[in-house]
Amino acid sequence: MKQAEQKATAGPSQAAMLPEEQIAALPAAGRDLFLVSTAHAFIHAITVLMPLIYPLIQEEYHLSYTQIGLVVALPNALGGLLQVVFGLVSRYILRKVLLGIGAILGGLSTFLTGTINGFWPLMAWSTAFRLATAPQHPVGSSYLTDRYGQRRHGYALAWHIAGGNIGTLAVPFIAGPLLGLWGWRPLLYVAALPGILIGIAILILLEEGGPLDRRSRLRQQPAEAAPQPARSLALRGRALIQTGRSLLLPLRDRTLLIIMAVSIIAAGGRGLGNVTTYVPLYLQNVRHIDSRLQGVLLTLLLLGSVIGPLLGGRLSDRLGRRPMLYLFYGASAVTTFLFIELARPGMPFWLIPPALLLMGLAVYAEAPLLQAYLADSASRDLRDNAFSLYFALAFGVGSAWGGIIGWLIDQFGFQLAFIVMAISYLLAGSLLTLIRQQPTTSER
């Protein structure tokens, strides 16, 4: 009996230590990285497509910048906070199911966004899209860190971000002309299809057997110790409460707490958030640039979303996460101030493309670097909970910035809003100086 108790106690911690030799032996890791990153690409593609459509919807339905900000902020807040739930659910449901079904429902909600007739339907289907795709960040990042192991965290997470952004590069370039030819509703109907297809592919092809199947932890109770149904229900209830409490354990770690605070502050200038939303609105309503040229300019901005994360991720594997975060936070602030100056009314148009390219190289690199820093700093037992909390706070609490930036534009204009974005990078970088603990070399 004593032996059985010891076995039951040791089971979860032993299961948490995934045997990396077995994982490395699983075939087609590249295929799995491609599938998860392509699902991420679909989410980013819609995230980038909507800012090109917002000016048209704003004009058609007479929406304010605050209303556009709320359409960005509230769905992101709900979807972000729900990521905690998916961090828990992924212990009981295969991660491929959560990712696949999420992509399919994301495609359907994109299709239905094309049927809107005002602010509230736009809010409803935008919220549905964010709720459907909420598993992607915590579940996808957790899956890839398990799939690739400690020494390749930077590589896997950088491709998860940058691989997703590769899919977004063609979107503004193609969407600009198609908006003029088709209109925004048919474009949304067509854009919904890739999400449905990649969701089906994930359900069929993604590898999640053997050591990658987390549900095996729940099967490790000895047969002779199997509880009665009533007792089993009580034990599951206690386990659920204990799991809920365990979600807060990462907040007891000073380093993890600071990283999460940094993510909330830096969300003021998040690339695939406020920058991607408000730059096209600025280009149309202040510089009066047509939708085709906006697509080209947004493509230049998003080019940095591929190069920046890949460059930052590879360098951080060698030089450390924190030095690269300092570099990119500083560069994000400098290039945002540069954009304010070079893109203001009266300045030559040809200054805008290089300003956007430099800005894109800086502002999109922060996300994978901070996530890799989190993965390095959290013990494997805490990592899933840390990812769930990180994304819930970064995209839940941090999404309030979308509404704040929209309100600032309505009240004070674009210039002050962009200045606030730049300051958020500087504050986030300053907060990193409070971290004392350094991940070991093996964790990098």
Side-chain angles (χ1 to χ4, degrees):
M1 185 73 175
K2 204 173 203 180
Q3 194 176 3
E5 286 174 4
Q6 287 172 349
K7 217 173 183 183
T9 306
S13 61
Q14 288 172 351
M17 297 299 291
L18 295 177
E20 296 198 18
E21 296 81 4
Q22 293 181 40
I23 294 170
L26 292 173
R31 178 202 63 196
D32 295 338
L33 178 59
F34 173 80
L35 288 171
V36 176
S37 297
T38 305
H40 202 193
F42 165 70
I43 297 170
H44 282 199
I46 302 304
T47 302
V48 169
L49 177 61
M50 289 310 298
L52 289 174
I53 292 173
Y54 286 146
L56 303 177
I57 295 176
Q58 184 185 38
E59 185 178 357
E60 186 172 339
Y61 296 111
H62 309 291
L63 304 183
S64 68
Y65 289 110
T66 303
Q67 285 177 304
I68 295 294
L70 289 174
V71 167
V72 174
L74 291 181
N76 280 340
L78 292 173
L81 294 173
L82 192 63
Q83 293 183 52
V84 172
V85 176
F86 285 115
L88 287 174
V89 171
S90 67
R91 300 181 180 188
Y92 306 97
I93 300 175
L94 284 175
R95 288 175 283 188
K96 65 187 289 181
V97 173
L98 295 174
L99 293 171
I101 297 297
I104 293 169
L105 293 178
L108 292 175
S109 59
T110 299
F111 182 91
L112 292 168
T113 303
T115 68
I116 66 163
N117 59 4
F119 170 73
W120 288 110
L122 174 62
M123 176 69 79
W125 293 120
S126 297
T127 302
F129 177 81
R130 289 300 168 196
L131 296 182
T133 56
Q136 181 66 41
H137 283 113
V139 177
S141 297
S142 172
Y143 173 82
L144 289 176
T145 53
D146 284 353
R147 189 73 171 93
Y148 273 82
Q150 287 184 337
R151 289 187 179 274
R152 303 188 76 192
H153 283 163
Y155 173 84
L157 291 174
W159 269 109
H160 187 213
I161 299 295
N165 289 341
I166 288 172
T168 69
L169 270 178
V171 170
F173 190 73
I174 295 172
L178 290 181
L179 276 172
L181 291 173
W182 295 353
W184 60 273
R185 294 181 193 273
L187 188 56
L188 283 174
Y189 300 149
V190 173
L193 184 60
I196 296 170
L197 294 178
I198 189 60
I200 294 170
I202 285 174
L203 290 174
I204 296 172
L205 299 174
L206 196 72
E207 174 64 56
E208 198 170 5
L212 290 173
D213 187 350
R214 296 157 137 204
R215 300 172 307 167
S216 60
R217 299 182 192 181
L218 302 177
R219 303 190 195 108
Q220 292 191 350
Q221 288 184 347
E224 66 270 20
Q228 296 299 320
R231 190 180 168 201
S232 174
L233 189 61
L235 288 174
R236 288 192 180 192
R238 287 178 197 167
L240 192 59
I241 293 171
Q242 189 175 359
T243 301
R245 287 176 181 169
S246 72
L247 272 176
L248 301 178
L249 287 178
L251 297 180
R252 297 181 183 179
D253 185 293
R254 175 189 172 91
T255 299
L256 298 180
L257 180 62
I258 292 173
I259 289 173
M260 291 177 196
V262 167
S263 72
I264 294 172
I265 294 171
R270 181 179 294 134
L272 283 176
N274 294 329
V275 171
T276 309
T277 297
Y278 291 111
V279 163
L281 287 168
Y282 176 83
L283 295 175
Q284 172 162 310
N285 297 332
V286 177
R287 290 303 306 257
H288 307 293
I289 296 170
D290 65 41
S291 61
R292 293 186 182 185
L293 271 178
Q294 281 183 51
V296 174
L297 292 174
L298 193 55
T299 301
L300 286 174
L301 179 70
L302 291 170
L303 184 61
S305 72
V306 176
I307 299 172
L310 286 177
L311 180 63
R314 295 295 288 180
L315 288 175
S316 74
D317 282 339
R318 298 182 180 183
L319 304 176
R321 314 295 182 202
R322 193 154 58 158
M324 298 310 300
L325 281 166
Y326 287 141
L327 175 64
F328 280 101
Y329 278 135
S332 296
V334 169
T335 54
T336 301
F337 283 123
L338 189 66
F339 173 76
I340 294 170
E341 177 60 27
L342 297 183
R344 64 183 170 83
M347 296 296 284
F349 172 82
W350 66 267
L351 292 174
I352 296 177
L356 287 175
L357 182 59
L358 290 172
M359 189 179 181
L361 287 170
V363 301
Y364 294 103
E366 170 260 350
L369 289 176
L370 202 57
Q371 291 168 35
Y373 199 11
L374 181 82
D376 292 348
S377 302
S379 66
R380 188 166 290 181
D381 288 336
L382 282 180
R383 191 175 297 147
D384 291 338
N385 291 345
F387 269 124
S388 296
L389 267 178
Y390 171 87
F391 287 114
L393 293 172
F395 292 94
V397 179
S399 65
W401 280 104
I404 293 169
I405 297 297
W407 178 82
L408 285 172
I409 294 170
D410 275 331
Q411 298 299 316
F412 305 104
F414 276 96
Q415 186 172 24
L416 180 63
F418 285 128
I419 289 172
V420 169
M421 290 184 195
I423 291 172
S424 74
Y425 299 126
L426 297 176
L427 290 175
S430 300
L431 197 57
L432 281 175
T433 62
L434 300 178
I435 294 178
R436 297 171 189 160
Q437 172 192 339
Q438 290 292 327
T440 64
T441 305
S442 63
E443 289 175 324
R444 276 187 204 162

